[in-house]
Amino acid sequence: MKDQNILKYLPYAPPFLFVEELLHVDNKGVKGTFTFHAALDFYKGHFKESPVTPGVILTECCAQIGLVCLGIYLNLPSLEKGQGDFGVAMSGCDMEFYLPVMPGEQVIVLSELVYYRFHKLKCRVQMHNKNNEMVCKGVLAGMLKNIPNG
């Protein structure tokens, strides 16, 4: 697995990078982690007396690990040849939430390829907490494209 190569092509940077480590990547899916450190800025106002990770951020974490990292992996040969940059746009999202993620928690995201054709990638994703309890699950889709240099 070339996880460092995948991570360098991610179009995100802190504070909006929600990928810590890739544990497994192949053409069928991805498994990765992220720790929601208590110092992250969105905890200051969501909720002020008892902070919890917003669902939109959990969805973004699932998308970055489960959809974008897989898309980069599938396009890695042309990216490594310098045949352009990687572009991504979310095109579909259907998520269900079961448990909160508190400041300081690490999560594991699992992704399973549904299909990849005509630059559209669709995946089933699941997020689990350290007790292997399901936090959320859903289906995410995005348009992925190598953007030629020049």
Side-chain angles (χ1 to χ4, degrees), residues 107-123:
V107 296
I108 297 173
V109 174
L110 301 155
S111 168
E112 176 188 359
L113 175 75
V114 174
Y115 66 79
Y116 181 45
R117 59 180 170 265
F118 303 114
H119 303 289
K120 185 169 184 174
L121 177 60
K122 189 172 187 177
C123 300

